[in-house]
Amino acid sequence: MTQTTLITMQPTVHPMELTQIYAPDNAANRVWAAKQSNVQLISIPGYVRFGDHIVNFFVKKIVKQGDVSAYSNMLQFVYFSHMVAYNVANTPVERLVFATQDLATKVLMQFDNQARYNNR
């Protein structure tokens, strides 16, 4: 059996056979994960969420950038990708599936097995 892991920030129904799914721990994902048996929710600490509120406020109000979704919740994205990279590096996985290319780039650059999963 192939060890396939899905890494996503916003989980949805996935038709493929997955061994493990990593997603951030929030209210919506907890409801979704209750219906799944193979989900590992990564808890985001309060200080990271608070830092995101400050960064989001700074970008919108001080810098006066309109809708900049690239910077929205960026600290949570970095924390989540770091924790997923740590978990994946310590778990035998044959195949990684990423929801977005940005997530793939951020996770793969954080651990030594990058060449093993690149371009697959």
Side-chain angles (χ1 to χ4, degrees), residues 3-8 19-23 40 42 79-98 103-104 106-118:
Q3 297 285 332
T4 302
T5 299
L6 172 68
I7 301 167
T8 182
T19 306
Q20 187 72 30
I21 300 172
Y22 289 103
Q40 176 153 356
I42 305 291
Y79 183 85
F80 174 74
S81 62
H82 176 74
M83 292 308 296
V84 167
Y86 174 78
N87 288 333
V88 169
N90 294 318
T91 307
V93 176
E94 294 175 13
R95 183 171 173 228
L96 290 174
V97 178
F98 294 92
L103 194 54
K106 194 66 173 169
V107 169
L108 290 176
M109 70 184 270
Q110 294 190 35
F111 64 97
D112 295 334
N113 294 335
Q114 178 178 3
R116 180 173 155 196
Y117 297 111
N118 252 347

Side-chain angles (χ1 to χ4, degrees), residues 21-87:
I21 300 172
Y22 289 103
D25 187 6
N26 58 36
N29 290 351
R30 273 186 236 117
V31 171
W32 175 81
K35 301 173 188 172
Q36 311 288 324
S37 63
N38 56 350
V39 176
Q40 176 153 356
L41 296 176
I42 305 291
S43 181
I44 308 291
Y47 65 88
V48 174
R49 290 191 307 268
F50 179 72
D52 265 337
H53 289 301
I54 291 173
V55 170
N56 293 341
F57 175 80
F58 181 77
V59 169
K60 289 178 184 174
K61 303 291 185 188
I62 308 297
V63 180
K64 305 234 190 253
Q65 293 291 321
D67 180 32
V68 232
S69 58
Y71 295 112
S72 179
N73 297 331
M74 124 175 97
L75 297 177
Q76 290 182 43
F77 177 77
V78 170
Y79 183 85
F80 174 74
S81 62
H82 176 74
M83 292 308 296
V84 167
Y86 174 78
N87 288 333

